[in-house]
Amino acid sequence: MEDGAAEIKTVSSSVSSSEDPRTPNTELKKLLFFKVYKRRWLVLLVLCLLNCSNATLWLTFAPVADQSAKFLSVSLEQVNWLSLVYMVMAIPLSFLTTWMLDVLGLRTTLILGAWLNMFGALLRFIGVSVPSSGLITNYLLVMLGQTLGAVAQPLVIFAPTKMAAHWFPDHQRATANMIASMSNPMGVLLASILSPMIADTPARLPELLLVYAMPACVVCFIATIGIRSSSPPTPPSASVETSNSEPFLQGIKLLLKNRAYLVLLLCFGSGIAVFTSFSTLLEQILCVQGYTNTFAGVCSALFIVFGIVGAALLSIFVDKTKKFTEATKVNMSFTALSCIAFSVVSLLQHQKAAVAVVCSLFGFFGFSIYPVAMELSVECSYPVGEATSAGLVFVSGQIQSVLYIVLLQALTTRLADSPVSTCGDAVLSWKVPMMVMAGLCTFFTCCFVILFSTRYRRLEAEEQAIYGTKQRDVSTSSKDTTSIKTSGPEAQSSFGINPDPEKDP
């Protein structure tokens, strides 16, 4: 089949809608076949590589904050702003990005993001390779490079829900979203491992930035020649075929009136802020108790690896059961407990095993929520565009991230003496900030568990499109969830759908 397309039969053509109320809508006989295309995997690969590369640029300096401060002749606070600029730039640019994704499409947005990401990486390397002169300091050039990378971030990080909805069938959406979303923490993982390994002394910082610049150039080339269209020639599911996304401004107004979405926006945004603070400040928190940068990198790696494993398991579970709300509430509860545990063990000396275990659990329960929560934001806000609903959740997380990091740093106190510290000259106490972070995480988790409830509007729309049924409230009980599960592999088999879209029927 052309371009590796595979047909997914939604219904058997021999069934008449007049005989059974659960048979397909006769007006949609043209939807007897949905096609999926093998090049969807190329689009997913490009998005993953872009997300990964951009994340390595974001957290290049956090694992080697001391070495970066010495090489650039700046304070630790100024080094932290090399990461914080990503959050600051995302706030004003997010609305433009969501508009671009919904109006200009996936292709234009991703290619622009790839070029900005590449130029940012190259400018950072140039900034540490030339001598400072007058007003043009090494730090200023590096900050300009970071700013270009920060502009690119929303262009690529808002895209997973849009890509999954437009390129993948309904029973692969959550998994595709998970793979694309988890490529960002994979980049954080690489930065956590490679930065301390390469830049073990301040003099090796230029070498580190060159290592991160080369993949950015390669990814830009692949994105430019590899992404040929924003969506496939034919839709992969009923929701895309019948979708009539609201105009951008109208979509914003609808979201602001949606109680369930606002609860998700605030509470999950707080969760993003907690994880951003954790990733940015981990090395500075652990060095006070005598832990090395290498160990902090290992903890960050465990945090992300277990998070990716948890995300994979949870996404597969949600793709099969459609229990978005239950999965998010349970995992957020365990995340709050893990955050409380970290606030305790991070203050202990000579407890590497305990710190590593808690970081692993923190990642396993916390990171796994991200792709599911992004899908949930689309489900509770449909027919608002995917980029708009998921993008605003990310904006909320970025705003709260800036507030959290600034607040946590402000709550630190300088220690007069710390004989085991590996922090260099600046030794700060993180006891109060860690208690505050745990308290905020717990508070917003409780708010979400108690207040959040929603219908799965996109699933309802797909069922109505195929079967012509009326909308009905979808509670989070297993009974109601099963009743709308008409688009998974099991339901597909009963209506003549090929569960494996890669194999032509």
Side-chain angles (χ1 to χ4, degrees):
M1 195 166 292
E2 186 180 356
D3 197 23
E7 293 181 346
I8 302 180
K9 296 181 180 179
T10 58
V11 294
S12 173
S13 58
S14 63
V15 181
S16 170
S17 61
S18 61
E19 297 174 357
D20 188 343
R22 297 292 299 164
T23 54
N25 188 335
T26 55
E27 296 180 0
L28 294 178
K29 286 187 177 180
K30 61 176 181 175
L31 298 183
L32 289 176
F33 294 94
F34 288 125
K35 291 182 180 179
V36 292
Y37 297 80
K38 289 184 179 179
R39 60 185 157 109
R40 72 189 187 277
W41 300 110
L42 175 61
V43 177
L44 177 59
L45 174 64
V46 170
L47 181 55
C48 288
L49 293 176
L50 270 174
N51 257 319
C52 186
S53 174
N54 189 260
T56 60
L57 302 191
W58 169 36
L59 283 183
T60 297
F61 304 99
V64 287
D66 296 327
Q67 292 89 326
S68 302
K70 291 177 182 177
F71 184 90
L72 298 171
S73 300
V74 295
S75 65
L76 280 176
E77 287 76 13
Q78 288 174 292
V79 172
N80 287 339
W81 274 103
L82 292 174
S83 299
L84 277 172
V85 69
Y86 272 68
M87 284 72 106
V88 173
M89 293 302 296
I91 296 168
L93 291 174
S94 295
F95 295 100
L96 176 62
T97 299
T98 53
W99 176 84
M100 287 181 64
L101 280 167
D102 285 336
V103 177
L104 301 182
L106 196 65
R107 181 177 184 271
T108 301
T109 305
L110 290 185
I111 291 178
L112 177 60
W115 280 89
L116 288 170
N117 189 64
M118 181 186 70
F119 283 133
L122 292 175
L123 186 56
R124 297 188 325 158
F125 174 67
I126 294 172
V128 297
S129 302
V130 299
S132 297
S133 58
L135 296 176
I136 307 300
T137 63
N138 295 120
Y139 179 77
L140 178 59
L141 288 175
V142 171
M143 177 59 81
L144 288 175
Q146 285 291 98
T147 303
L148 287 179
V151 174
Q153 187 190 49
L155 298 177
V156 298
I157 210 168
F158 285 16
T161 51
K162 187 82 170 180
M163 178 275 304
H166 283 257
W167 282 92
F168 286 82
D170 51 6
H171 64 281
Q172 292 180 348
R173 275 197 304 247
T175 302
N177 194 357
M178 177 274 298
I179 294 172
S181 299
M182 288 299 101
S183 60
N184 185 269
M186 181 61 73
V188 175
L189 170 62
L190 291 175
S192 301
I193 296 175
L194 293 179
S195 290
M197 185 184 301
I198 298 174
D200 51 354
T201 62
R204 298 190 66 188
L205 191 64
E207 181 182 343
L208 175 66
L209 300 191
L210 177 60
V211 168
Y212 290 144
M214 291 188 293
C217 296
V218 174
V219 174
C220 181
F221 174 77
I222 297 175
T224 303
I225 67 171
I227 302 180
R228 293 181 287 165
S229 62
S230 295
S231 58
T234 57
S237 65
S239 61
V240 178
E241 174 68 18
T242 60
S243 176
N244 241 343
S245 293
E246 296 289 341
F248 178 71
L249 292 179
Q250 182 62 25
I252 296 290
K253 293 179 182 178
L254 290 176
L255 292 179
L256 295 178
K257 296 177 182 178
N258 188 326
R259 176 181 172 275
Y261 181 82
L262 292 177
V263 172
L264 180 66
L265 182 77
L266 183 62
C267 296
F268 186 66
S270 174
I272 294 176
V274 168
F275 285 98
T276 302
S277 302
F278 178 89
S279 300
T280 303
L281 302 173
L282 180 61
E283 181 264 341
Q284 298 172 49
I285 295 169
L286 294 182
C287 71
V288 179
Q289 306 304 330
Y291 300 111
T292 64
N293 284 359
T294 302
F295 177 71
V298 170
C299 288
S300 183
L302 290 172
F303 175 72
I304 295 166
V305 168
F306 277 85
I308 293 173
V309 172
L313 295 175
L314 192 64
S315 296
I316 293 172
F317 170 79
V318 168
D319 257 339
K320 291 184 176 181
T321 65
K322 307 302 179 186
K323 295 184 178 181
F324 297 95
T325 302
E326 295 92 334
T328 305
K329 287 185 176 182
V330 170
N331 273 41
M332 283 189 71
S333 300
F334 281 109
T335 300
L337 294 176
S338 300
C339 188
I340 294 171
F342 178 77
S343 70
V344 175
V345 300
S346 64
L347 304 177
L348 304 177
Q349 299 176 10
H350 312 298
Q351 297 293 330
K352 286 187 175 182
V355 173
V357 169
V358 170
C359 288
S360 301
L361 293 174
F362 200 12
F364 183 82
F365 292 113
F367 254 126
S368 58
I369 302 172
Y370 184 84
V372 175
M374 288 302 183
E375 286 291 305
L376 184 57
S377 71
V378 177
E379 291 292 344
C380 74
S381 62
Y382 187 87
V384 176
E386 299 90 355
T388 304
S389 54
L392 289 185
V393 173
F394 182 79
V395 173
S396 172
Q398 298 296 75
I399 294 173
Q400 293 185 65
S401 295
V402 175
L403 297 176
Y404 276 35
I405 293 177
V406 172
L407 173 64
L408 296 178
Q409 287 185 125
L411 292 174
T412 60
T413 55
R414 186 175 291 274
L415 294 176
D417 182 38
S418 181
V420 299
S421 171
T422 59
C423 298
D425 298 331
V427 183
L428 303 174
S429 172
W430 290 88
K431 182 177 180 179
V432 173
M434 288 300 94
M435 293 174 62
V436 170
M437 186 175 78
L440 289 171
C441 183
T442 303
F443 172 76
F444 283 106
T445 297
C446 292
C447 289
F448 183 82
V449 171
I450 296 171
L451 300 177
F452 185 81
S453 178
T454 186
R455 291 162 34 207
Y456 300 152
R457 300 171 186 268
R458 182 170 60 178
L459 291 177
E460 287 179 352
E462 288 180 339
E463 185 182 21
Q464 186 179 22
I466 295 176
Y467 298 106
T469 57
K470 295 182 180 180
Q471 276 194 344
R472 60 176 177 272
D473 288 345
V474 181
S475 72
T476 56
S477 68
S478 58
K479 178 180 178 181
D480 288 337
T481 303
T482 304
S483 70
I484 66 167
K485 187 182 173 187
T486 61
S487 55
E490 293 85 352
Q492 291 169 349
S493 298
S494 64
F495 287 96
I497 303 174
N498 178 13
D500 186 357
E502 293 295 346
K503 297 179 180 179
D504 290 346

